[in-house]
Amino acid sequence: MDAQPVHDLPDVETLVRLLDSIFSEINLGLLVYHLEDPDEASSLRLVYVNAAASAAAGSDLTACVGMVILDAFPSLAETDLPETYARVAREKEPRRLGTIEYEDARLEHRYYAVRAFPMPNECVCVVFENISLRKQIDTKVQQRTAELRRQYDDLHQHTDTLVQALQLHLDALLETLAGNLTPAQRRHVEALRAAAAQLTDGTRAASGGGWARRRV
């Protein structure tokens, strides 16, 4: 299919009206920037914000419409996101940007899953989702997993210590009663010593590799 002639593309204002009629109720945040100077990422101007974007950010972002990107979101100056957005607008290639953290004097710290798509007339659409709750849950799961691992390792260390003490007592018992044990009694004590040694080897192996197996 032939590319659409440039003169047939909607202008930025028409594009914004079309977006608002289609995406105003979508449950993902949408920001549309217009790259006014192809050579300057700082010339990205915010031209559209949908309702879900304000909800995800926890602040009314419509007040930022008309601002250049670093006036709207000043903390982006510390990242390569403006240049990335500008590259999407120039090269017409979508980008999946993964998880982004953002906060500034107006917006509290949150995590977002972000993608960027090229649009006509040197525009770029940034689609994002607030995943802060998911990140908090992941962090708590990691903390709890680390705590359980410490408890698991402590249990095996304690068990190993007890088993070693049992072996010492059995050795002392054999030495003390060596001449007074019947063959059957000696077999029982030797069996206890072998079981203790096997238990020691098992707890050491479990503390060294068992946790990884249980996490698979």
Side-chain angles (χ1 to χ4, degrees):
M1 181 183 297
D2 294 336
Q4 188 176 8
V6 173
H7 62 269
D8 289 339
L9 295 174
D11 60 31
V12 173
E13 290 184 4
T14 302
L15 184 63
V16 167
R17 288 197 297 271
L18 288 171
L19 284 170
D20 200 43
S21 65
I22 299 171
F23 297 119
S24 59
E25 301 302 323
I26 196 171
N27 198 32
L28 291 172
L30 296 179
L31 305 176
V32 177
Y33 295 96
H34 177 224
L35 183 62
E36 296 183 337
D37 182 345
D39 297 323
E40 291 293 338
S42 60
S43 73
L44 285 161
R45 190 174 299 277
L46 186 63
V47 296
Y48 175 75
V49 172
N50 73 336
S54 294
S59 180
D60 183 9
L61 298 184
T62 59
C64 299
V65 172
M67 296 182 181
V68 292
I69 188 168
L70 295 183
D71 286 344
F73 303 105
S75 294
L76 291 183
E78 304 168 9
T79 74
D80 61 356
L81 285 178
E83 181 54 43
T84 299
Y85 296 161
R87 190 178 304 120
V88 171
R90 294 187 203 107
E91 299 175 1
K92 308 302 181 188
E93 292 290 338
R95 295 283 299 273
R96 187 181 295 271
L97 305 177
T99 300
I100 303 297
E101 297 179 58
Y102 186 83
E103 67 177 315
D104 59 30
R106 181 171 48 90
L107 300 176
E108 66 180 43
H109 180 270
R110 294 188 178 187
Y111 292 90
Y112 303 96
V114 182
R115 288 169 290 173
F117 299 92
M119 300 191 72
N121 290 86
E122 305 301 318
C123 289
V124 57
C125 179
V126 177
V127 181
F128 66 95
E129 178 186 6
N130 181 353
I131 59 169
S132 299
L133 179 58
R134 191 186 313 164
K135 289 289 290 185
Q136 290 170 6
I137 293 173
D138 287 346
T139 299
K140 289 184 181 298
V141 168
Q142 291 172 7
Q143 291 172 345
R144 181 56 177 161
T145 299
E147 180 183 348
L148 289 173
R149 180 173 184 173
R150 287 193 297 271
Q151 293 175 357
Y152 183 86
D153 290 342
D154 289 345
L155 174 62
H156 279 287
Q157 183 176 2
H158 182 62
T159 302
D160 194 36
T161 300
L162 291 176
V163 172
Q164 289 181 39
L166 175 61
Q167 285 181 301
L168 290 175
H169 286 299
L170 289 172
D171 289 342
L173 179 63
L174 276 176
E175 184 177 347
T176 302
L177 302 177
N180 300 315
L181 293 176
T182 67
Q185 289 173 331
R186 178 176 290 277
R187 284 196 299 273
H188 284 308
V189 175
E190 291 288 356
L192 285 173
R193 292 179 73 250
Q198 185 177 9
L199 183 58
T200 299
D201 293 341
T203 56
R204 287 172 179 169
S207 63
W211 180 259
R213 290 194 295 272
R214 284 162 176 76
R215 294 183 64 194
V216 172

